[in-house]
Amino acid sequence: MKAQVTVTLKKTVLDPQGKAIHHVIESLGYRSVVDVRQGKFFEIDLDGIQDEAAARTDVERIAREVLTNPVIEEFAYEIKK
Amino acid sequence: MKFGVVVFPGSNCDHDTFHVIDKLLGKPVEFIWHETQKLQGYDAVILPGGFSYGDYLRTGAIAKFSPVMKAVRAFADGGGLVLGICNGFQILCESGLLPGALMRNRGLQFICRHVYLRSENTDTPFTQTLQPGQVLKIPIAHMEGNYCADEVTLDALEANRQIVFRYSTSEGEVTDAANPNGAARNIAGICNEARNVMGMMPHPERASEDLLGSHDGRSVFESMAASLVTR
């Protein structure tokens, strides 16, 4: 079982890196791109866990305690078998 | 009195900090390796600047899980003085010993230059030898110095007088132009409610002798030593 976790800045937090990337994309002529925000991707190998509910509990704790700074970031994840 | 300077893998301002306390203040000081699980006999602990754990994941994010941090937390809870400088400030925020977070500078550049700080609160063990409003010239050297917290937290910091230093002009005016990294309300340093834990992004240990361009930072260490005499 694998967990794929994405970590992004909260919507209320300024993302200057996302803005810089947006400017580059705009300068290449993609006028329909209105915003870009940058985040992080983690892939966690859960070898040894059989129960999806247990996997979800572990992944949520790992995401909260390690992968994100809850002051400025939030996360989403998927379990893939 | 005894000072301790914690050394994480990747800390690089530990020796400068040690030097100020040892050679300029003449006080007892020791290095504390990050694997140390017990802090005995220290009156003040400093988390120095640097790139602990290479800033992997987030600045200070992995250092907060270092064995020594349990002891640092207990030391702080017991009223011991804890000063976090730059990466040390980041580690204190990640650990929850101070509120808020340090984010990437709004200009996306690593900034390494002298800045001016206005002393907002001189009723702390870290600033008691300063005058209210006194301006200090101290260098910063960081990529993630942009202090942020939600409005409720920022308002509470103001109300509780927990903002210790703000970025200002040389005349002490707090302006956006004087803000090097976009930090909310020009915040350069804060303390906890109990005022025994402080974090600051600028490097007072690099401004403790005129040879390095300013001795203004020495006041932070002198304040700590003075406060320990009367504790």
Side-chain angles (χ1 to χ4, degrees), chain B:
Chain B
M1 71 179 72
K2 191 162 74 160
F3 286 77
V5 177
V6 177
V7 182
F8 297 98
S11 296
N12 67 11
C13 303
D14 43 322
H15 283 265
D16 287 351
T17 308
F18 186 102
H19 165 81
V20 172
I21 299 164
D22 179 40
K23 291 283 184 301
L24 303 183
L25 264 60
K27 300 297 181 200
V29 58
E30 287 175 7
F31 288 112
I32 303 172
W33 180 232
H34 78 111
E35 286 178 341
T36 307
Q37 305 215 22
K38 274 195 156 92
L39 293 179
Q40 297 226 300
Y42 294 100
D43 302 287
V45 169
I46 301 176
L47 306 187
F51 298 88
S52 61
Y53 296 93
D55 281 357
Y56 294 166
L57 183 58
R58 299 180 303 277
T59 57
I62 298 181
K64 77 172 179 236
F65 295 113
S66 260
V68 75
M69 286 308 293
K70 260 212 181 91
V72 170
R73 181 184 305 277
F75 177 79
D77 287 347
L81 290 189
V82 178
L83 172 65
I85 301 171
C86 200
N87 189 220
F89 185 9
Q90 292 161 343
I91 295 168
L92 289 173
C93 286
E94 281 280 340
S95 302
L97 283 164
L98 287 173
L102 282 318
M103 292 203 357
R104 178 138 311 184
N105 297 343
R106 71 179 162 189
L108 297 179
Q109 290 188 325
F110 187 102
I111 304 172
C112 183
R113 62 175 170 82
H114 281 92
V115 295
Y116 293 99
L117 306 180
R118 190 174 77 186
S119 308
E120 300 289 316
N121 183 350
T122 54
D123 291 333
T124 80
F126 309 91
T127 49
Q128 64 182 52
T129 63
L130 295 168
Q131 300 301 314
Q134 185 173 343
V135 176
L136 307 180
K137 180 181 168 192
I138 301 188
I140 55 172
H142 58 244
M143 175 64 114
E144 283 88 10
N146 182 347
Y147 181 78
C148 73
D150 58 37
E151 291 297 302
V152 169
T153 303
L154 291 171
D155 289 341
L157 289 176
E158 304 261 17
N160 294 336
R161 300 189 63 243
Q162 287 173 247
I163 299 173
V164 182
F165 292 117
R166 277 191 233 257
Y167 299 109
S168 74
T169 64
S170 56
E171 312 297 304
E173 281 182 75
V174 176
T175 65
D176 190 63
N179 185 335
N181 51 36
R185 310 199 187 177
N186 280 42
I187 289 170
I190 59 168
C191 64
N192 62 345
E193 285 185 50
R195 278 130 173 74
N196 66 311
V197 178
M198 178 167 94
M200 59 189 293
M201 282 313 297
H203 288 265
E205 80 287 8
R206 294 186 193 177
S208 289
E209 38 196 332
D210 288 328
L211 187 64
L212 295 182
S214 169
H215 63 257
D216 294 351
R218 193 161 154 174
S219 306
V220 171
F221 301 102
E222 286 175 341
S223 293
M224 292 172 76
S227 80
L228 290 175
V229 168
T230 54
R231 263 172 162 234

Side-chain angles (χ1 to χ4, degrees), chain A residues 38-66:
Chain A
Q38 182 179 277
K40 292 182 200 167
F41 172 80
F42 301 90
E43 195 169 75
I44 303 175
D45 218 323
L46 295 160
D47 211 27
I49 296 191
Q50 312 299 337
D51 170 31
E52 187 173 319
R56 287 184 174 277
T57 305
D58 279 2
V59 169
E60 281 167 24
R61 282 189 67 193
I62 290 167
R64 262 197 305 274
E65 292 169 20
V66 183

